[in-house]
Amino acid sequence: QVQVVESGGRLVQAGGTLRLSCVVSGHISFTAVMGWFRQAPGSEREFVAAIGWSGTGTRYADSVKGRFTVSRDNVKNTAYLQMNNLKSEDTAVYYCASSPKITNWVIPRSYPYWGQGTQVTVSS
């Protein structure tokens, strides 16, 4: 079984900073792409950021460019999402996802493995 576990979500004030972590373990030898998605109440799950194996290829949603940074540590099989200058609109459950091979990085159905989510709440 492949396990995906996110952590780091909490309540923060607008303008604050959080770093989320995602650890992938189990019977998967190669994690080509690790992605971050989020889902607010009553909304569809939306793409936030993703990173490839080398760490040089990244994608970001327009709403988080310049504020969020995705990175990964392949030795630890861990992805990170550094979130700066948080806004109330960033409030959501954040999910980490993993896939051995992905053609389209920004759609949820591209990822077969998902974590349970971690709540990020940004107060005004």
Side-chain angles (χ1 to χ4, degrees), residues 4-28:
V4 181
V5 181
E6 312 96 331
S7 63
R10 64 178 179 88
L11 173 67
V12 297
Q13 294 185 29
T17 298
L18 280 178
R19 189 181 77 159
L20 306 183
S21 298
C22 172
V23 179
V24 179
S25 62
H27 296 293
I28 181 169

Side-chain angles (χ1 to χ4, degrees), residues 1 4 14-15 22 24 27-28 33 36 40 44 48 51 56 75 115 123:
Q1 287 286 333
V4 181
C22 172
V24 179
H27 296 293
I28 181 169
V33 181
W36 290 95
E44 296 293 317
V48 176
I51 186 167
T56 58
V75 174
S123 65

Side-chain angles (χ1 to χ4, degrees), residues 44-119:
E44 296 293 317
R45 189 167 298 187
E46 66 175 357
F47 172 78
V48 176
I51 186 167
W53 171 255
S54 70
T56 58
T58 58
R59 293 284 300 277
Y60 295 94
D62 288 342
S63 59
V64 306
K65 286 181 180 178
R67 298 190 298 120
F68 291 10
T69 302
V70 63
S71 61
R72 66 188 294 170
D73 183 334
N74 292 334
V75 174
K76 297 181 178 180
N77 244 12
T78 301
Y80 304 95
L81 185 67
Q82 179 69 42
M83 305 187 294
N84 299 327
N85 191 210
L86 284 160
K87 304 175 180 180
S88 60
E89 304 95 282
D90 297 317
T91 295
V93 176
Y94 282 71
Y95 296 90
C96 179
S98 176
S99 177
K101 185 177 181 180
I102 295 177
T103 300
N104 191 331
W105 291 15
V106 306
I107 57 175
R109 69 172 183 266
S110 294
Y111 298 82
Y113 309 115
W114 290 82
Q116 293 294 311
T118 185
Q119 177 71 50

